[in-house]
Amino acid sequence: MKINLIYGLLCFLFLGNIVAQQTPAPKQTQDYSIEGATAHLGNGQVIENSLIMFSNGKISFVGNANMKIARQGTVINAKEKHVYPGFIAANSSLGLAEIDAVRATRDVDEVGSMLPHIRSIIAYNTESKVIESMRPNGVFMAQITPRGGVISGTSSVVQFDAWNWEDATLKTDDGVHMNWPNSFSRGRWWLGEDPGLKPNKNYQKGITKIKEYINNAKAYLKGNKSSKILPYDALEGVLNGSQKMFVHVGGQKGITDAVNTLKELGINNIVIVHGQEAEKVADLLKKNNIPVILERAHRLPNTEDEDYDLPFRSAKILSDAGILIGLGMEGDMERMSTRNLPFYAGTYAAYGLGKEKALQLITQNNAKILGIDDKVGTLEVGKDATLFISKGDALDMRTNILTDAFIQGRKISLETHQTKLWKRYSNKYKK
């Protein structure tokens, strides 16, 4: 019996090692020079026939390959290819759930409604096979965000080549996430109610609940704190402005109420997430310097009288209004669909935004909104060498074919469970 148990454990460990994510790449020890590629810097600029060099995990040179300068280390000939900064997904629950149908693998939310002290980072699973599948499309970083409740918890930003969450972290506890009440509710058809939208009679009650909670936290933080209350302590950052309050809200009325209410409460470092109808309150957002993390473009209009392509054009409208916009991934199949992040940006590009501005949504803009633009988001000297080489346009699923990829200078594998199956069955049918 004991021998069988030992053999069973060894088998389990062996199989677990087989299906686990690849071993993270070792620290960069040799320098690299990427020569001849069209470099998309992530800030709207493009360098044809570029030269990019990096050493010890940091970019050391960005310029034209015609310049007379000694190449460092291994030279990668990237002529007729393109080089990009690693893409960043905002508002994602990657690593917090693996298989939606298996409850034991889902850790995206907690019981309760006011949970600012819940930290997503300590639940983040670096061994997720879903995360592994992001990298072949150039998605190397994400804001890991909790879900549920009125105040869901605190997010953190990670990179996708790490042994554990401590190694993965780019920025810990970057902001608190709040789900603003919906000003409209949909009738419950199973109770005989009209299934259409109608004003939410509990909308003001929900706002009052938020105001009371934040006011109680402010009173606690100003007091002597004789007894420690973790949920109130967790709001100190958003109240003093050192952390951002990410407000998940849509609709003209909802956005207006959220901005005005939070500012009255002394919360000024605000980011709007989702932002349907944000174009209708662009002046309010611009006046208060409030960024917007948009949803994926591939969705239906919110109301019957909206243009069918308004979701595709919203990025262009907000950009023209001078609002800083990024791209998030919350929604159906959000973890698996995050690999398509560059292609959602590509849709915004096709509907007026343009390729380089669309690229900024998932590079420089997301980095600025998440507070990591000092490290990543653009190809600049001194920033992390988190970048990749593609055979073609990275915002086009037909040509986004990565040949080389680096995270903090480490040359990473682009193999995943999916690529292994693809190769296996491609060979089967070739024979």
Side-chain angles (χ1 to χ4, degrees), residues 184-287:
F184 288 90
S185 62
R186 194 174 295 277
R188 298 166 293 182
W189 57 267
W190 58 92
L191 294 179
E193 298 175 354
D194 180 1
L197 287 174
K198 54 188 176 182
N200 181 4
K201 61 182 180 181
N202 293 318
Y203 177 65
Q204 287 301 329
K205 290 181 180 178
I207 295 176
T208 300
K209 182 180 178 182
I210 290 171
K211 291 169 72 173
E212 288 177 350
Y213 187 83
I214 293 176
N215 281 325
N216 288 340
K218 289 168 70 176
Y220 162 80
L221 292 168
K222 288 179 181 178
N224 58 17
K225 300 184 184 179
S226 57
S227 58
K228 193 170 184 65
I229 304 176
L230 287 177
Y232 290 164
D233 274 321
L235 285 177
E236 185 171 10
V238 296
L239 289 168
N240 64 27
S242 62
Q243 279 183 312
K244 294 182 179 179
M245 176 65 88
F246 293 86
V247 188
H248 298 233
V249 60
Q252 182 177 357
K253 178 174 174 55
I255 295 172
T256 303
D257 289 345
V259 170
N260 291 335
T261 300
L262 292 176
K263 288 188 73 66
E264 287 173 7
L265 292 167
I267 298 174
N268 297 305
N269 201 353
I270 301 169
V271 177
I272 297 297
V273 183
H274 302 317
Q276 302 96 341
E277 298 187 358
E279 65 277 0
K280 295 181 180 179
V281 291
D283 290 342
L284 174 68
L285 299 174
K286 176 67 175 174
K287 177 183 175 182

Side-chain angles (χ1 to χ4, degrees), residues 96 103 106-112 115 118 145-149 152:
L96 300 183
R103 179 66 185 89
R106 302 198 310 266
D107 199 11
V108 296
D109 59 8
E110 295 287 346
V111 176
L115 304 167
I118 295 300
T145 306
R147 303 282 185 237
S152 306

Side-chain angles (χ1 to χ4, degrees), residues 116-369:
H117 58 300
I118 295 300
R119 304 174 66 231
S120 64
I121 188 64
I122 59 174
Y124 175 69
N125 175 24
T126 56
E127 294 288 340
S128 169
K129 295 179 76 65
V130 180
I131 290 173
E132 183 181 89
S133 70
M134 304 296 115
R135 306 195 304 193
N137 282 353
V139 183
F140 295 165
M141 296 159 282
Q143 179 194 39
I144 308 304
T145 306
R147 303 282 185 237
V150 177
I151 300 180
S152 306
T154 303
S155 59
S156 293
V157 187
V158 301
Q159 51 83 11
F160 293 158
D161 183 59
W163 288 101
N164 49 49
W165 66 263
E166 292 94 339
D167 294 340
T169 303
L170 286 174
K171 185 167 185 178
T172 305
D173 302 333
D174 67 299
V176 175
H177 291 255
M178 172 187 289
N179 297 301
W180 194 257
N182 198 327
S183 57
F184 288 90
S185 62
R186 194 174 295 277
R188 298 166 293 182
W189 57 267
W190 58 92
L191 294 179
E193 298 175 354
D194 180 1
L197 287 174
K198 54 188 176 182
N200 181 4
K201 61 182 180 181
N202 293 318
Y203 177 65
Q204 287 301 329
K205 290 181 180 178
I207 295 176
T208 300
K209 182 180 178 182
I210 290 171
K211 291 169 72 173
E212 288 177 350
Y213 187 83
I214 293 176
N215 281 325
N216 288 340
K218 289 168 70 176
Y220 162 80
L221 292 168
K222 288 179 181 178
N224 58 17
K225 300 184 184 179
S226 57
S227 58
K228 193 170 184 65
I229 304 176
L230 287 177
Y232 290 164
D233 274 321
L235 285 177
E236 185 171 10
V238 296
L239 289 168
N240 64 27
S242 62
Q243 279 183 312
K244 294 182 179 179
M245 176 65 88
F246 293 86
V247 188
H248 298 233
V249 60
Q252 182 177 357
K253 178 174 174 55
I255 295 172
T256 303
D257 289 345
V259 170
N260 291 335
T261 300
L262 292 176
K263 288 188 73 66
E264 287 173 7
L265 292 167
I267 298 174
N268 297 305
N269 201 353
I270 301 169
V271 177
I272 297 297
V273 183
H274 302 317
Q276 302 96 341
E277 298 187 358
E279 65 277 0
K280 295 181 180 179
V281 291
D283 290 342
L284 174 68
L285 299 174
K286 176 67 175 174
K287 177 183 175 182
N288 292 285
N289 195 28
I290 296 175
V292 177
I293 295 177
L294 291 172
E295 291 183 306
R296 311 171 227 176
H298 298 184
R299 54 186 171 84
L300 294 173
N302 295 309
T303 59
E304 293 179 354
D305 57 351
E306 280 185 359
D307 293 343
Y308 76 93
D309 61 351
L310 182 59
F312 304 154
R313 294 187 293 108
S314 59
K316 166 69 171 172
I317 296 169
L318 291 171
S319 179
D320 288 349
I323 295 168
L324 179 63
I325 51 173
L327 182 54
M329 285 305 305
E330 186 173 359
D332 293 340
M333 295 289 290
E334 65 178 83
R335 290 170 289 280
M336 295 71 177
S337 294
T338 300
R339 66 173 69 96
N340 294 322
L341 179 76
F343 313 137
Y344 295 127
T347 299
Y348 284 126
Y351 280 80
L353 193 60
K355 285 286 178 69
E356 298 309 315
K357 282 197 172 181
L359 177 66
Q360 285 179 257
L361 298 182
I362 54 177
T363 53
Q364 184 183 55
N365 290 8
N366 267 354
K368 283 183 176 179
I369 293 171

